[in-house]
Amino acid sequence: MRLIQKLLFIVVLFTAILSAQNVYERNCVPCHKDLSTSLQQMFKKYLLVYSGEQNVKAGIIHYLQYPNRSISVMSKLFIESFGIKKKTTLSPEELNRAVDIYWEKFKVFNKLK
Amino acid sequence: MALYTSLVILLITLLSIFYYQSQEKLMFSNQRAELSKYAYIQTKRLKVLHYFFPERTTYPRDPRFKSAIYDIEYKKIFSLLENENIHFNEEIYRAGNYIHFVKLLDTYYLGTKYLIIEVPEDMAWKKEAWKQIAIGSVLAFILFMVFGLILARLFLKPMRDSIVLLDRFIKDTTHELNTPLSAILTNIEMMDTDVMAEKNKKKLNRINIAAKTVSQLYKDLTYLTLKQEQKDHKEEIELQGLIRDRIEYFTALANTKQLYFELDTENVIIHADKQKITRVIDNLLSNAIKYNKRGGTISIKLRIGSLEVSDTGVGIDEEKIPFIFDRYMRFNQSEGGFGVGLSIVKKILDEYHIKIEVYSTINKGTKMVLTW
């Protein structure tokens, strides 16, 4: 009986943790944490190429949907080391939400002083 | 002269505007070099900040200029500008008292597409430009006016010479006419008509009339060419007597048309130049005789403050009345004269503030009413 209670507790806790994570944290962070370049650094690379919010978001979404060596913002060395990612399995809505969270998290606005 | 002056002012204004604009362009061009240098420095600093972001978040500042960064969507990333009125499509422009230089970045450090460099506008060039414009305008104006005067004198000289020649000729001729005319009139008066044959008497009368007509023209001409230059000799004039004198003078002329004078006069005295008033009365009487019908009447009514001269002549069209005082205007070509008589009358009357009104009916007659 006690074992069942423990198992139930663990399941509930795991579900609670999972449901607390958003689409970005669930789908982006786990893979990127093992890479040599952080998501912050990648964001800056996107900024360097695309500048504005709409441009950056469109660039990221396009790359995630149609990953290609030639349009990657990452360096040649990085691509040679880690390759390019697989096409996203997220729905367009989830992708948009994830990218919005990514933008809000790393955007430069209101951070300079 | 006014037209020439206006054109000169317009030309100087246009030149001043061009000069001011060229000086402004020169200032912008000088500033552009300086601001490009600042933009280059700031870009390098942004590059550094980009690589160290978010560990470093202090925007690079420079005491020589202020700057701002905007992304490709014209959204402000960070700004230190005093004047936020930015023209993204221009490279360099004036914003209030500041100069803005817009630098487009090829690599968007921190997402920056537009880097705006701001410096206070140096007003020294403006003061210098205004000074140059003021001095230049005055000098150019003087030069143009002197040049214009010389040109005008050069072009008008032949015309002025002919006017002076004509004027002198008229004055000399008028002066020279006086002696023979006086001689003719005096000698006619001195002739003893009692011993003269009837045939010759008629001839003498015609000579008398012709000489008086010429004398009348001579007096008008004298008034126009010589008397105007002389001063007004005002005196007390007894109008009743003067009118009677002038009627007597014109009697011979009036008799040729068998005209009858109707006099209704009171004793009136006015203060004026006798020669001028004589010219007025002579012209009114002479017109009343000239344009009267054979056997007609000339009525003269003199009251204090008014004089009326009426004839029973051909009359004048109502629409032509307003123009009868214009010089060289003649309504009846059958009669002699130059059309200067009534213009002299109007001129003299205006001088003494005497009002003249004309009432006329075709084929019935004309009435001239003077009021003062």
Side-chain angles (χ1 to χ4, degrees):
Chain A
M1 191 64 189
R2 277 202 171 190
L3 187 69
I4 293 167
Q5 273 180 338
K6 267 186 185 173
L7 269 171
L8 199 67
F9 177 73
I10 289 163
V11 168
V12 168
L13 189 71
F14 189 68
T15 315
I17 289 166
L18 265 185
S19 62
Q21 284 180 330
N22 59 37
V23 64
Y24 163 76
E25 283 162 346
R26 280 200 310 273
N27 298 288
C28 308
V29 177
C31 300
H32 275 271
K33 69 181 177 192
D34 298 329
L35 294 174
S36 64
T37 308
S38 68
L39 275 161
Q40 168 78 66
Q41 291 304 319
M42 281 192 173
F43 184 84
K44 284 186 347 189
K45 283 192 187 296
Y46 272 100
L47 272 186
L48 268 183
V49 177
Y50 293 102
S51 178
E53 181 181 353
Q54 302 304 319
N55 265 5
V56 168
K57 285 179 176 174
I60 296 170
I61 289 168
H62 181 79
Y63 183 76
L64 293 177
Q65 286 174 333
Y66 310 100
N68 189 306
R69 214 173 268 269
S70 63
I71 58 165
S72 172
V73 293
M74 298 310 287
S75 67
K76 204 176 167 186
L77 184 69
F78 179 87
I79 293 167
E80 276 169 10
S81 308
F82 300 97
I84 56 167
K85 73 178 289 302
K86 287 192 183 99
K87 195 176 171 180
T88 183
T89 52
L90 292 175
S91 69
E93 290 77 28
E94 284 176 312
L95 196 57
N96 280 335
R97 244 183 300 141
V99 172
D100 284 346
I101 294 162
Y102 184 47
W103 171 266
E104 285 302 318
K105 198 171 169 64
F106 296 113
K107 67 178 181 183
V108 183
F109 297 101
N110 303 322
K111 286 179 185 163
L112 292 176
K113 57 183 188 293
Chain B
M1 195 62 193
L3 182 71
Y4 180 76
T5 313
S6 311
L7 283 173
V8 165
I9 291 170
L10 186 73
L11 185 71
I12 291 173
T13 311
L14 282 175
L15 286 174
S16 303
I17 292 168
F18 286 136
Y19 178 75
Y20 185 85
Q21 284 176 342
S22 73
Q23 288 301 102
E24 192 177 38
K25 272 184 190 164
L26 188 69
M27 178 276 289
F28 275 132
S29 145
N30 291 337
Q31 288 277 7
R32 187 182 283 116
E34 185 79 0
L35 296 177
S36 292
K37 193 178 81 187
Y38 292 160
Y40 177 77
I41 295 166
Q42 192 67 4
T43 309
K44 294 290 165 206
R45 289 171 179 162
L46 284 175
K47 186 179 178 181
V48 173
L49 182 64
H50 178 88
Y51 287 109
F52 285 101
F53 187 81
E55 285 77 33
R56 277 191 211 168
T57 53
T58 308
Y59 182 81
R61 285 157 171 82
D62 194 304
R64 293 170 293 180
F65 61 88
K66 296 200 168 168
S67 64
I69 50 175
Y70 282 75
D71 71 10
I72 203 164
E73 291 150 20
Y74 309 114
K75 206 170 160 191
K76 182 166 76 185
I77 302 168
F78 188 78
S79 172
L80 293 167
L81 298 186
E82 297 290 338
N83 191 319
E84 297 273 359
N85 183 21
I86 296 158
H87 304 171
F88 291 99
N89 295 326
E90 287 178 55
E91 190 191 12
I92 190 162
Y93 58 90
R94 183 184 287 112
N97 293 327
Y98 296 93
I99 305 277
H100 280 178
F101 178 77
V102 181
K103 165 90 176 165
L104 271 69
L105 269 58
D106 296 325
T107 311
Y108 308 140
Y109 301 118
L110 295 167
T112 307
K113 164 87 175 173
Y114 300 99
L115 166 65
I116 291 99
I117 303 290
E118 181 189 81
V119 286
E121 189 184 350
D122 178 18
M123 295 294 181
W125 76 272
K126 209 178 253 184
K127 275 185 194 164
E128 187 57 31
W130 278 117
K131 203 173 128 188
Q132 297 277 2
I133 286 170
I135 295 170
S137 300
V138 171
L139 285 178
F141 187 77
I142 293 168
L143 196 75
F144 273 118
M145 291 323 275
V146 170
F147 188 63
L149 274 175
I150 292 168
L151 271 184
R153 273 171 188 266
L154 211 66
F155 288 135
L156 292 177
K157 197 177 180 296
M159 202 197 280
R160 203 188 307 120
D161 286 351
S162 4
I163 290 170
V164 168
L165 193 72
L166 193 67
D167 197 47
R168 196 179 297 150
F169 174 75
I170 292 170
K171 279 179 182 171
D172 290 350
T173 316
T174 314
H175 188 72
E176 292 303 319
L177 268 174
N178 189 24
T179 321
L181 257 177
S182 305
I184 293 167
L185 286 168
T186 319
N187 280 297
I188 289 167
E189 274 177 28
M190 278 162 53
M191 273 186 157
D192 191 358
T193 48
D194 296 340
V195 291
M196 209 176 267
E198 197 57 34
K199 206 171 137 189
N200 286 342
K201 257 192 206 172
K202 276 187 181 172
K203 281 178 185 166
L204 182 68
N205 194 38
R206 279 187 214 122
I207 294 168
N208 188 18
I209 291 162
K212 277 184 176 172
T213 311
V214 175
S215 171
Q216 192 66 21
L217 283 173
Y218 161 77
K219 281 171 184 166
D220 279 350
L221 207 57
T222 315
Y223 178 81
L224 283 177
T225 57
L226 305 173
K227 288 286 185 284
Q228 273 175 316
E229 292 165 15
Q230 289 175 7
K231 278 198 165 182
D232 221 20
H233 295 291
K234 282 191 176 176
E235 57 183 300
E236 301 284 319
I237 305 165
E238 203 271 291
L239 268 185
Q240 198 177 27
L242 181 66
I243 288 167
R244 282 180 197 281
D245 279 352
R246 298 326 291 164
I247 287 172
E248 198 183 325
Y249 178 81
F250 283 110
T251 308
L253 195 62
N255 285 344
T256 58
K257 280 188 164 179
Q258 288 152 8
L259 299 176
Y260 171 69
F261 281 99
E262 266 182 8
L263 277 173
D264 174 12
T265 57
E266 284 181 0
N267 190 18
V268 177
I269 290 170
I270 61 162
H271 189 70
D273 186 313
K274 193 170 185 179
Q275 284 193 359
K276 288 182 180 175
I277 296 299
T278 308
R279 295 261 39 76
V280 172
I281 293 167
D282 278 6
N283 271 301
L284 293 179
L285 289 179
S286 138
N287 279 343
I289 294 168
K290 251 192 244 175
Y291 301 111
N292 217 327
K293 284 176 192 163
R294 184 165 281 277
T297 311
I298 296 168
S299 309
I300 297 163
K301 189 176 170 186
L302 177 66
R303 292 282 180 275
I304 294 170
S306 77
L307 169 69
E308 285 179 25
V309 179
S310 319
D311 63 54
T312 51
V314 289
I316 310 160
D317 271 344
E318 205 176 327
E319 64 263 30
K320 286 181 182 168
I321 290 176
F323 308 106
I324 63 166
F325 298 110
D326 293 349
R327 189 179 277 195
Y328 310 121
M329 184 59 81
R330 290 169 61 212
F331 296 104
N332 195 331
Q333 303 296 331
S334 64
E335 297 294 333
F338 299 116
V340 291
L342 280 178
S343 82
I344 292 173
V345 168
K346 184 79 170 102
K347 204 168 177 180
I348 296 169
L349 294 180
D350 284 348
E351 205 178 305
Y352 291 116
H353 307 292
I354 297 171
K355 197 176 149 194
I356 181 163
E357 285 169 299
V358 182
Y359 305 96
S360 187
T361 314
I362 288 284
N363 291 327
K364 279 199 172 173
T366 307
K367 181 160 83 172
M368 302 268 188
V369 183
L370 277 61
T371 43
W372 60 90

